[in-house]
Every structure is written in structure tokens, then in C-alpha cells.
């Protein structure tokens, strides 16, 4: 399968590319290489004959459209996003531009590509989102988010991702775009960007600096190992039902 992956040089995207290449897929990595994208995450596959890289910002509609038509992939996995809550509070505009407008651009580019290739009957568009669109879990209750949980975003980041989810669903219902959505809990593992909670705490501990905890540290998160997440993504891409959403988690809810 020829898979185009947006944001493939980031933490989750690079893990997905390494796995997809190991399974014999062709992969086109589209990435703007902003602060969290790093090509060193992909050193082990950069010379593989099945790997292609395009330094493209998904906010650039013209270049994006041309690239989709150039490669004409069998599937697209859309991961490119601004992801840090604190950054979204300081600079919400970049989150709206990348997460919402960027998703609009990739949806429209995909629609144009499919219109020019009427034989793409097996094509799938997998939109990778977050469980933060559901808001916060209630305290002192045995409750987990599910695919029918109402959206209740609490930050510019989660609001921009919730908006992108709604865009993707609307393109399915309005234009019959063959989409699937996944909403995943917090990831950890190799190549995790150092501003994120687990690597930040580890690095501060090594350097004998204060350990940053939000509030009293009792807020609960579910954690999943990044390589488990990307295995789930490929499974959903291959076996998921068009138009459905799938929650992905590690069933490991612990406080910070």
C-alpha cells in the first residue's frame, strides 16, 4: 500500500512510518519540520527505497494539492497538528491555522485527487485525533471515554482538534469521502518531544531540577505506548469501517 502521512517526522508519526516501512508499505512523509518535527527520528528508514519525504506545510493549499496529485496515494493518515496545551494557550492562532484550516486543506486536496482518479475505490482517509476533545474525566468515578462520549474541549488545542474531527465527518457525509477517525489517549515512548510530561520530568530529575506538576498532580491520564498506538492505527486503516470513529487507549489510568 502507498500511504501518505502528514506530520510523519514527529513523535507518533515517525513511529508509524518506521512500522509501516517494516511491513513493506510505501510511505510519503509530508512535514513542515516545525519545532517538534525532526528527521533524525527517521534515520533508520531515510535511505529505504519505499520512503519519500516532502518538506511541505499543510497550510499551503497549492503545494499540498500538487503533491497529492504527484503521488496519488492509496491512503492518507493525517497526523500533522500542533499538540501542546500550554503552547495553545499562548498562541491559539497557530493551532487554529494548522489543526483546523490545515485539515480543511488536506480534505479538499484529497477530494480533488479522488475526483481526478475515479478508480480509487479502496482509498481511505484516516484522521488521527485525541481523547482531549472529550474534556476531562469526572473525579472519583469509574468512567472511561467511549466513541459516543459528547465533545467537551477545554483548551484551544482540544477545541481545534474537535473542530478538525467535525470537518472530517462532514466531508464524509457531504462529499462521501471515505474517512475513519481515531481518538487516542496520551502516548509515551522513544523520540518523545522533551517538553511533554514524561520526558520533561525525567530530564528534570536527571538534572536535579524541580519536577513540574500541574496543580496538585492528582489529575488522571490514560497512557499508551506509542508503538502500540501505531500498530492500532495500521489495523484501523486496514480493517476499520468507513465513517466510524475508534478510541485507542492503554487502559492505564494513573495520576501524574
Amino acid at each position: 500500500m502507498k500511504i501518505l502521512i502528514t506530520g510523519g517526522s514527529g513523535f507518533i508519526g515517525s513511529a508509524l512510518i518506521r512500522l509501516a516501512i517494516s511491513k513493506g508499505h510505501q510511505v510519503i512523509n509530508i512535514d513542515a519540520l516545525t519545532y517538534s518535527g525532526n528527521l533524525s527520528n527517521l534515520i533508520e528508514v531515510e535511505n529505504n527505497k519505499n520512503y519519500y519525504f516532502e518538506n511541505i506545510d499543510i497550510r499551503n493549499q497549492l503545494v499540498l494539492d500538487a503533491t497529492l496529485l504527484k503521488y496519488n496515494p492509496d491512503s492518507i493518515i493525517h497526523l500533522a497538528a500542533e499538540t501542546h496545551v500550554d503552547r495553545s494557550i499562548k498562541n491559539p492562532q497557530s493551532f487554529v491555522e494548522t489543526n483546523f484550516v490545515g485539515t480543511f486543506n488536506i480534505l479538499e486536496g484529497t477530494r480533488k485527487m479522488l475526483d481526478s482518479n475515479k478508480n480509487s475505490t479502496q482509498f481511505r482517509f484516516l484522521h488521527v485525533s485525541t481523547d482531549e476533545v472529550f474534556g476531562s474525566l469526572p473525579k472519583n468515578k469509574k468512567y472511561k471515554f467511549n466513541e459516543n462520549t459528547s465533545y467537551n474541549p477545554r483548551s484551544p488545542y482540544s477545541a481545534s482538534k474537535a473542530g478538525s474531527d467535525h470537518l472530517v465527518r462532514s466531508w464524509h457525509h457531504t462529499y462521501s469521502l471515505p474517512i475513519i477517525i481515531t481518538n487516542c489517549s496520551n502516548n509515551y515512548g522513544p523520540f518523545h518531544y522533551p517538553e511533554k510530561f514524561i520526558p520533561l520530568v525525567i530530564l528534570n530529575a536527571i538534572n536535579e531540577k524541580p519536577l513540574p506538576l500541574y496543580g496538585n498532580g492528582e489529575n488522571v491520564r490514560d497512557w499508551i505506548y506509542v508503538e502500540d498506538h501505531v500498530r492500532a492505527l495500521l489495523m484501523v486503516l486496514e480493517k476499520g469501517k468507513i465513517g466510524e470513529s475508534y478510541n485507542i487507549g492503554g487502559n492505564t489510568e494513573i495520576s501524574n
Side-chain angles (χ1 to χ4, degrees):
M1 186 189 305
K2 187 194 299 182
I3 308 171
L4 185 143
I5 298 175
T6 69
S9 302
F11 169 45
I12 298 173
S14 60
L16 178 60
I17 288 177
R18 293 191 300 269
L19 177 64
I21 292 291
S22 74
K23 291 184 173 293
H25 296 296
Q26 282 186 292
V27 175
I28 302 98
N29 173 19
I30 285 181
D31 202 301
L33 296 180
T34 56
Y35 71 95
S36 60
N38 192 335
L39 290 178
S40 66
N41 295 346
L42 292 162
I43 288 176
E44 67 181 72
V45 302
E46 65 181 359
N47 295 318
N48 191 290
K49 62 182 177 62
N50 287 329
Y51 175 70
Y52 306 88
F53 173 68
E54 297 282 353
N55 185 195
I56 291 172
D57 191 325
I58 60 171
R59 294 175 296 181
N60 188 326
Q61 183 76 72
L62 292 176
V63 175
L64 183 59
D65 289 353
T67 303
L68 292 175
L69 290 172
K70 172 184 175 181
Y71 287 101
N72 193 29
D74 303 314
S75 296
I76 292 174
I77 303 180
H78 178 41
L79 276 152
E82 297 280 355
T83 62
H84 198 268
V85 172
D86 291 346
R87 285 180 180 267
S88 78
I89 294 169
K90 294 177 181 177
N91 183 20
Q93 181 174 345
S94 66
F95 283 72
V96 173
E97 290 174 349
T98 297
N99 298 356
F100 191 78
V101 178
T103 297
F104 165 79
N105 289 344
I106 190 75
L107 288 168
E108 279 295 88
T110 300
R111 193 158 69 94
K112 295 170 189 174
M113 179 190 73
L114 293 178
D115 285 345
S116 69
N117 183 7
K118 301 297 185 181
N119 295 321
S120 300
T121 57
Q122 301 302 313
F123 178 86
R124 291 183 166 202
F125 183 103
L126 174 56
H127 175 63
V128 181
S129 190
T130 171
D131 66 353
E132 293 202 29
V133 299
F134 304 126
S136 299
L137 287 169
K139 295 180 179 178
N140 303 319
K141 292 183 180 180
K142 295 292 184 180
Y143 176 84
K144 300 179 188 297
F145 296 134
N146 61 57
E147 285 79 0
N148 295 314
T149 300
S150 297
Y151 277 40
N152 187 22
R154 302 292 185 90
S155 69
Y157 161 59
S158 56
S160 65
K161 288 298 291 182
S164 71
D165 290 7
H166 294 320
L167 275 181
V168 172
R169 285 194 182 91
S170 69
W171 256 244
H172 171 62
H173 291 290
T174 305
Y175 304 111
S176 299
L177 197 70
I179 66 93
I180 305 172
I181 296 173
T182 59
N183 297 89
C184 190
S185 58
N186 294 273
N187 285 230
Y188 70 95
F191 304 103
H192 206 173
Y193 192 68
E195 76 177 359
K196 301 294 186 175
F197 177 66
I198 288 180
L200 181 61
V201 167
I202 291 172
L203 290 170
N204 280 22
I206 289 171
N207 292 297
E208 298 184 354
K209 295 181 178 180
L211 306 184
L213 278 178
Y214 177 78
N216 59 12
E218 293 183 359
N219 52 307
V220 176
R221 295 177 171 182
D222 176 53
W223 293 95
I224 184 171
Y225 188 55
V226 66
E227 293 181 8
D228 292 334
H229 179 196
V230 297
R231 279 199 295 272
L233 290 178
L234 284 185
M235 182 181 295
V236 170
L237 181 68
E238 294 169 2
K239 300 181 179 181
K241 183 179 178 181
I242 297 298
E244 290 291 328
S245 63
Y246 296 89
N247 283 5
I248 301 173
N251 198 27
T252 308
E253 296 87 4
I254 54 176
S255 71
N256 288 344

